Amino acid sequence: MSIQVPPRSRRRTTSIRVNTTLLAAVLLAFAASVMLGRYPVGPGQLLAIMGGENLPGLSFIVLQDRLPAACLGLLAGAALGLSGAFFQTLLRNPLASPDVIGIGYGSSAAAVAGMLLFSLQGPPLMLAAFLGGLAVALLIHGLARSGRQVGGRLILAGIGVAALLQAVIQYLLTRTDVNAAADALRWLTGSLNASTWERVLLLGTGLALVAPLAVPAGSKLRILALGDDTAAGLGVRVAPTRLGLVLLGVALCAMATAVTGPIAFVAFLSGPLARRLHGGRNNLTGAALAGALTVLAAAFLADNAFGDASLPVGVVTGALGAPFLLWLLVRTNKQGNGG
Amino acid sequence: MKLADAPAATATPGGAAAGQTSRQAGWLGLALLCALAVAVLLSLSVGARGTGVGTVWAALTAPDPANGEHAVVLSRVPRTVAGLLVGSALGLAGTAMQGIARNPLADPGILGINAGAALAVVLGIQLFSVSGIGGHVWLAFLGAGLAAALVYAVASLGREGATALKLALAGAALCAGLGSLLNAVLLLSREAFDAFRFWQVGMLGVRSLSEMVQVAPFLLLGSVLALGSARLFNALSLGDDAARGLGIAVGRSRAVAAVAVVLLCGGATALAGPVAFVGLVIPHLLRLAIGGNYSRLLPLSLLAGPLLVLAADVLGRVIAPPSEVQVGVMTAVIGAPVFLWMLRAGKKVEL
């Protein structure tokens, strides 16, 4: 918190400028992931393809591979970023994103069980992921409820649950044939490689149903962030509001997870990134844009930076996100206000 | 978040209370030894084909090559020995880690040390074709050492020191990051994945007795170093400054104890893959029974660790017939509720 607070109107124009820049970066990353790669597509060719012309080979690559993957990365990244910012603001702790506190593992375990044991796909798989995430969210919320250090205990409970669920997931991977298990592993790493228009439609529809709720939820979130007592004084019914926000956050995280798999650390990275760009203030739109940018950029790296091999996007976000989390820990340590 | 000072309150030796806990520890040790003997017998007799205790005895004392049941019992011997080695290594390593970090939540699985060992082994196999346990164990030491150093460095920088939360978070971050890299390796090679997915859950009985003989000296050395650190841990539970005041070279002794932990965790991971929660649960249960004096906790964890691992392994064989649940999954299923219960009972384990 700085002492000199700029006037509200100037703050708003700054945040609009930051978000516009972020949006431009997202569009740039989107364009790059559609046009660049082993078979580059020029702007003219792209326009021709979009205009309905059939360029042999290229049309297929763009329409059936790169474009759905980029759309899916955009949607999933935005959902994960939004979900992360929700939890971080709600629990007033930058480390409390759904992947760190085990909610992502709840979705993963339920989805892997659904995939390998019941051959679920599409909306039922999404529902399983949602219910798994929700179960973990309620469990760790219940475990951490009493006592003063709620945030810290919630994170620890989440880490414990995540370790258990990881064992369960690995056990499930041993119970099936190697091909099904390898598919599940690819999904578990977080991947855009199997993107289809069907999946884009599925995630898009889900988000279109939930996203309008994010606007009123955002204002409630800002009030809750002032502290429970203040929020109650302002006429907010704290407990049900918090439960509603948890449900919304879980829904966003679980829908993205169900379609692309748990892309590591995106939910965790986006909130702090957006907050930094916004001069230390939480900004949900900024977090969603940062999430989309992270996924698109990481997917581009995963596709093009490793020679012939095309890695799942989660490998890149995991490998880059972990050092960031460690760095954040060291930094909050030095300031002496860490968890 | 405060460092746990729960052990400090109970670790004060001396007086009549000490005599009492000493006697308690003796009885507990005896009970653990008996229970361990039963667990060994069960481990040798329970399985897809159950065999009676008499048969086990006959197979061990006067093996008859023509007898099929004897062959079944003998085939379970390496698995039982592995359970004994891995369990005692992990139990002791967990107790030592909690002593080093003065932290009730330290566990080689939670803190990412097993994950570091696992990634190093898999990378070595894939990239440099390192084969045989003689090579794997060195890779496991390397990975465990690097992971331990990184987690402890990250968590202990700054003035608050290595709190439970920071250690756990650093460990979780490391697990996730290393897991991503591991998945990348496994996705590029289906054969590696098929072999590794079984190892990754933590399994006993994948190694032969001759392979275990190669790892045993490292585990022995680690055990000796860890057992010799009891005085350090007792002093540390009073605080670093107090320990220095008692004339202990804190930095050097801690480093020796850390080497012990790396030897124990790396050896155990090389033998059975990453097995979590043993190192977390054992010291806590023992502490509940006999208090926080490390000169008793450390030797008793050598008995309680293998008891838990063998019990989990036997349970895993009978819980879902005809297949079996691997020991790493069973210890997680047993250990995670204990972890969560510790958080609930958080007043004692001050976080």
Side-chain angles (χ1 to χ4, degrees):
Chain A
M1 281 284 164
S2 69
I3 298 167
Q4 283 181 321
V5 178
R8 204 179 157 76
S9 58
R10 178 139 44 101
R11 236 161 58 191
R12 185 169 297 165
T13 45
T14 318
S15 81
I16 289 174
R17 205 179 58 223
V18 169
N19 280 344
T20 316
T21 316
L22 266 174
L23 183 64
V26 169
L27 292 176
L28 199 69
F30 188 92
S33 60
V34 174
M35 291 163 70
L36 302 179
R38 191 188 288 177
Y39 304 101
V41 181
Q45 290 169 311
L46 185 63
L47 282 177
I49 292 170
M50 298 313 287
E53 223 173 293
N54 187 19
L55 305 183
L58 282 187
S59 283
F60 183 82
I61 289 175
V62 168
L63 292 177
Q64 298 306 320
D65 182 27
R66 288 186 192 165
L67 209 50
C71 289
L72 211 54
L74 183 84
L75 291 173
L80 288 173
L82 202 54
S83 165
F86 254 77
F87 280 100
Q88 287 162 338
T89 316
L90 192 64
L91 301 171
R92 289 180 225 122
N93 191 327
L95 303 165
S97 79
D99 40 2
V100 175
I101 61 176
I103 293 172
Y105 278 107
S107 293
S108 299
V112 169
M115 262 191 272
L116 296 182
L117 303 180
F118 306 105
S119 316
L120 294 187
Q121 275 183 336
L125 187 67
M126 254 188 184
L127 187 67
F130 172 71
L131 291 178
L134 184 65
V136 170
L138 294 179
L139 175 68
I140 61 173
H141 191 261
L143 284 167
R145 206 177 41 218
S146 60
R148 244 177 271 161
Q149 297 277 4
V150 175
R153 277 157 51 122
L154 197 110
I155 293 174
L156 284 173
I159 290 173
V161 172
L164 169 65
L165 291 173
Q166 237 171 328
V168 171
I169 290 171
Q170 285 164 358
Y171 170 69
L172 288 171
L173 287 183
T174 65
R175 299 299 316 279
T176 177
D177 75 284
V178 65
N179 291 319
D183 287 345
L185 180 71
R186 184 167 279 278
W187 178 87
L188 273 170
T189 316
S191 168
L192 303 177
N193 295 17
S195 303
T196 57
W197 285 115
E198 195 194 349
R199 291 180 185 203
V200 175
L201 194 68
L202 193 65
L203 183 56
T205 316
L207 289 181
L209 290 175
V210 172
L213 295 174
V215 178
S219 61
K220 286 275 196 296
L221 203 55
R222 269 194 293 281
I223 298 172
L224 272 187
L226 298 172
D228 289 1
D229 295 342
T230 318
L234 289 168
V236 173
R237 287 160 61 222
V238 172
T241 310
R242 181 177 289 140
L243 183 66
L245 291 171
V246 167
L247 284 178
L248 188 55
V250 171
L252 287 166
C253 172
M255 284 193 296
T257 303
V259 176
T260 62
I263 307 179
F265 288 125
V266 173
F268 164 72
L269 285 167
S270 308
L273 192 63
R275 190 161 48 244
R276 180 144 279 224
L277 293 173
H278 280 279
R281 281 184 301 279
N282 293 315
N283 186 300
L284 290 180
T285 317
L289 289 169
L293 181 61
T294 308
V295 172
L296 286 172
F300 187 74
L301 265 182
D303 276 340
N304 298 303
F306 300 95
D308 285 345
S310 166
L311 292 174
V313 58
V315 170
V316 174
T317 60
L320 296 180
F324 181 76
L325 176 50
L326 294 176
W327 174 79
L328 199 70
L329 269 174
V330 172
R331 239 179 60 91
T332 48
N333 254 351
K334 282 204 175 126
Q335 291 166 350
N337 59 359
Chain B
M1 295 275 136
K2 277 268 164 55
L3 288 169
D5 23 39
T10 45
T12 42
Q20 203 186 346
T21 46
S22 166
R23 220 169 21 247
Q24 274 174 3
W27 284 114
L28 183 63
L30 201 61
L32 284 174
L33 205 59
C34 295
L36 190 57
V38 173
V40 167
L41 266 184
L42 284 175
S43 173
L44 288 172
S45 60
V46 173
R49 186 165 163 191
T51 38
V53 175
T55 322
V56 170
W57 185 254
L60 292 180
T61 50
D64 172 11
N67 189 326
E69 291 208 323
H70 285 197
V72 170
V73 171
L74 291 177
S75 73
R76 291 187 189 126
V77 169
R79 182 169 181 164
T80 307
V81 174
L84 289 170
L85 290 177
V86 168
S88 50
L90 289 176
L92 191 59
T95 310
M97 277 177 79
Q98 296 187 6
I100 295 173
R102 248 192 305 161
N103 187 317
L105 293 186
D107 170 79
I110 303 265
L111 296 197
I113 293 174
N114 290 348
L119 178 64
V121 170
V122 169
L123 277 179
I125 294 171
Q126 276 309 106
L127 300 181
F128 306 108
S129 315
V130 178
S131 64
I133 185 121
H136 295 173
V137 74
W138 288 107
L139 292 168
F141 292 149
L142 182 71
L146 288 177
L150 184 63
V151 165
Y152 192 69
V154 165
S156 60
L157 280 173
R159 16 174 199 180
E160 287 177 356
T163 62
L165 179 65
K166 274 171 199 149
L167 271 175
L169 262 171
L174 199 64
C175 275
L178 296 177
S180 292
L181 295 176
L182 190 58
N183 285 358
V185 176
L186 297 181
L187 282 170
L188 295 177
S189 159
R190 186 145 294 194
E191 299 80 54
F193 173 59
D194 200 21
F196 186 75
R197 65 185 170 135
F198 291 99
W199 188 69
Q200 196 178 17
V201 285
M203 264 178 104
L204 301 175
V206 283
R207 302 290 186 184
S208 65
L209 279 176
S210 63
E211 287 176 311
M212 282 178 233
V213 170
Q214 291 184 52
V215 181
F218 298 110
L219 295 180
L220 191 67
L221 178 62
S223 304
V224 170
L225 291 180
L227 288 170
S229 302
R231 190 166 154 261
L232 166 76
F233 298 150
N234 278 338
L236 278 181
S237 65
L238 305 169
D240 278 27
D241 292 337
R244 259 181 224 108
L246 289 169
I248 290 174
V250 170
R252 206 181 56 208
S253 311
R254 250 204 186 118
V256 170
V259 169
V261 167
V262 167
L263 287 173
L264 292 168
C265 294
T269 305
L271 280 181
V275 175
F277 285 110
V278 176
L280 180 84
V281 170
I282 290 302
H284 276 283
L285 295 180
L286 290 177
R287 213 175 267 135
L288 280 180
I290 55 153
N293 187 342
Y294 278 94
S295 50
R296 293 177 197 129
L297 283 178
L298 288 167
L300 285 182
S301 59
L302 269 180
L303 295 173
L307 176 60
L308 174 63
V309 167
L310 283 181
D313 188 45
V314 171
L315 207 59
R317 280 184 232 169
V318 295
I319 201 168
S323 70
E324 50 182 69
V325 182
Q326 294 85 351
V327 68
V329 179
M330 291 306 298
T331 57
V333 168
I334 297 169
V338 177
F339 180 91
L340 297 175
W341 166 76
M342 276 162 47
L343 288 179
R344 280 297 286 169
K347 272 156 220 138
K348 220 184 234 173
V349 186
E350 203 182 310
L351 298 172

